[in-house]
Amino acid sequence: MPDRRISWRVVLAVGAAYSVFAALVSYWFTRGTGLSLWSLQPDASAHPLYIISMNVLLWTSWAAFAPLIFELARRFRFDRQHWRHALILHLPASLVITAAHILVVATARYLLQDAWGVSTSWGPTVREAFFRTLDYELPVYWALLGLQHARDYYREVRAREVAAAHLETRLVEAQLQALQRQLHPHFLFNTLHAISALLHRDPERADLMIERLSDLLRITLDKVGVQEVTLAEELEYLRAYLDIEQVQFGDRLQVVYEIDAYTLDALVPNLVLQPLAENAIRHGLEPRVGRGRLTVRASRESETLRLQVIDNGRGMTPAAVSAANQGVGLSNTRSRLERLYGDRARLEFAQSDEGGVAVTIHLPFTERETDEDPSDRRRRSTVGADAVARAAV
């Protein structure tokens, strides 16, 4: 990870640049017209080299203290949780570090004055420096502190932007992977092969499969790029898929819908139920001898939407159930849930009462915003639930 501290070289360069400006101002004030503006005589003893040396030393010497200030700024930050602790630390630290800087500069001033033949003593020079420069030296500590905070906050904002961009990319990739899993080639080939076999033997069933396959493709393409749909829309897609499976399985597959009418307007991840149904059919019902039953349930529990796909197939061993709950199996669906809802959603596997497997998805219950009257929505939901119930075979 890159070092988040600002280099002392930056402070040195800025201090050197400011020293030139400060030296020019000091020279103008002491040797030129600055003092005359206040009806004072210019100070002819102020040598240009002395003025430059003192200003360079005054401002560039902060580079020696900058690494310590930056480290304190990183360790004790003024954020919502820790600003009190930071204030308790930085108040005395600013006084101590500023005092140390003044002591260094005053000592250098004493040595320079002695080199220029100015008679003075170290003690009075240091005391004078404290009283004369503390007011404008102390803000330098807080300026460096603010500079490090600004850098940290900027990097954090940039990191969040990059993370958000990566998250959006992963969501799109996950959706594309879901589409590939749901319409993988062998499913299309098997469907087309079944249609071909039925064309002359049972034209009506072949027409039904073509119609439902067309619906399946249309719904899939219409929803590309959409992350959430209503449960009613999701069930429409699921019914198109299961209708095709029922034509192929015939009497061996029974589908039952148990949908709470008030859940039809709830938002769910796009194309989330079909992988569960396909998994139940391929691994639970297809190997079963005799008629299999697939049950799709949706209910609301307080602020949670509960979706279930249950089969009465050959089931899973306790070890397999435990492994599935740890993330093995339907990993694409689990990944989509995690990225869309975080820890507010979960996917669970369990043995069903019918001997097969029950897969349950828990989602936060949210509805698409609409201007529709609540009574109209309840009436439409009831009609939708009746339609779903009539679709059960």
Side-chain angles (χ1 to χ4, degrees):
M1 178 181 294
D3 194 350
R4 295 191 300 139
R5 289 170 294 188
I6 301 172
S7 173
W8 60 269
R9 296 180 180 86
V10 175
V11 179
L12 182 62
V14 174
Y18 188 78
S19 298
V20 175
F21 170 76
L24 291 174
V25 172
S26 297
Y27 182 78
W28 173 79
F29 191 80
T30 57
R31 294 290 302 272
T33 60
L35 287 174
S36 63
L37 294 175
W38 300 88
S39 300
L40 299 174
Q41 294 297 321
D43 184 7
S45 65
H47 194 279
L49 184 59
Y50 171 81
I51 294 175
I52 294 174
S53 299
M54 279 306 306
N55 278 281
V56 169
L57 181 65
L58 172 64
W59 297 111
T60 59
S61 58
W62 275 108
F65 297 87
L68 176 59
I69 298 173
F70 292 151
E71 186 63 24
L72 291 175
R74 293 176 61 242
R75 291 179 178 272
F76 304 92
R77 299 182 55 183
F78 284 93
D79 52 32
R80 291 183 178 180
Q81 290 77 27
H82 308 100
W83 68 269
R84 292 182 179 85
H85 296 87
L87 188 63
I88 293 174
L89 181 282
H90 286 295
L91 280 176
S94 64
L95 293 173
V96 171
I97 292 177
T98 302
H101 180 260
I102 293 175
L103 181 63
V104 170
V105 174
T107 301
R109 180 187 180 89
Y110 164 74
L111 296 176
L112 281 174
Q113 288 177 337
D114 185 68
W116 254 269
V118 179
S119 177
T120 184
S121 58
W122 180 80
T125 301
V126 172
R127 285 195 299 271
E128 179 189 3
F130 269 99
F131 286 108
R132 186 166 53 87
T133 64
L134 180 63
D135 59 337
Y136 68 80
E137 288 231 42
L138 189 60
V140 176
Y141 175 96
W142 294 96
L144 294 175
L145 187 71
L147 184 64
Q148 181 64 48
H149 274 66
R151 179 181 173 86
D152 288 345
Y153 288 136
Y154 173 77
R155 292 175 64 88
E156 289 170 3
V157 169
R158 291 291 301 159
R160 284 195 292 268
E161 291 175 351
V162 171
H166 288 171
L167 176 60
E168 183 65 25
T169 301
R170 289 196 297 268
L171 285 173
V172 173
E173 291 173 350
Q175 187 178 40
L176 292 176
Q177 292 171 4
L179 294 176
Q180 292 171 355
R181 287 175 59 88
Q182 292 153 11
L183 289 177
H184 43 63
H186 85 77
F187 169 71
L188 291 176
F189 292 151
N190 289 345
T191 303
L192 293 173
H193 179 74
I195 292 173
S196 177
L198 288 172
L199 276 175
H200 302 289
R201 179 165 49 89
D202 193 341
E204 290 186 3
R205 292 176 66 192
D207 286 343
L208 176 60
M209 287 191 69
I210 293 174
E211 179 184 350
R212 300 313 281 160
L213 180 60
S214 175
D215 292 339
L216 193 70
L217 293 172
R218 174 183 56 79
I219 296 171
T220 301
L221 295 176
D222 286 345
K223 300 302 180 183
V224 171
V226 178
Q227 291 297 335
E228 289 184 311
V229 297
T230 64
L231 179 59
E233 293 172 314
E234 180 68 14
L235 291 172
E236 180 185 4
Y237 178 90
L238 182 65
R239 286 198 302 272
Y241 168 77
L242 290 177
D243 284 348
I244 294 174
E245 294 287 7
Q246 283 184 304
V247 173
Q248 297 188 69
F249 278 83
D251 293 337
R252 292 186 56 215
L253 177 62
Q254 178 190 19
V255 180
V256 178
Y257 297 90
E258 299 176 1
I259 309 298
D260 185 342
Y262 292 99
T263 64
L264 290 175
D265 287 324
L267 292 175
V268 300
N270 186 25
L271 308 179
V272 72
L273 290 177
Q274 187 272 341
L276 306 184
E278 181 181 2
N279 195 65
I281 292 173
R282 294 287 171 261
H283 302 291
L285 299 179
E286 191 172 25
R288 174 189 171 91
V289 177
R291 193 181 196 192
R293 182 170 61 255
L294 184 72
T295 303
V296 181
R297 291 176 181 167
S299 59
R300 179 176 181 176
E301 299 175 355
S302 184
E303 297 304 315
T304 299
L305 176 65
R306 187 167 177 259
L307 304 175
Q308 283 188 300
V309 176
I310 305 169
D311 67 76
N312 65 341
R314 63 178 182 177
M316 299 170 63
T317 64
V321 171
S322 177
N325 280 318
Q326 295 301 317
V328 179
L330 294 174
S331 58
N332 186 43
T333 301
R334 195 186 300 273
S335 176
R336 292 183 67 208
L337 293 175
E338 180 181 354
R339 291 189 173 101
L340 282 171
Y341 306 106
D343 58 3
R344 297 181 299 157
R346 64 182 187 274
L347 176 66
E348 297 175 344
F349 288 77
Q351 292 284 354
S352 71
D353 297 335
E354 302 172 353
V357 176
V359 183
T360 305
I361 293 179
H362 299 270
L363 302 172
F365 189 93
T366 55
E367 293 182 297
R368 178 175 294 170
E369 294 184 1
T370 177
D371 296 331
E372 185 178 17
D373 184 83
S375 60
D376 293 338
R377 183 187 302 178
R378 287 193 296 269
R379 184 163 51 252
R380 182 172 55 80
S381 297
T382 303
V383 173
D386 292 341
V388 170
R390 287 195 300 271
V393 177

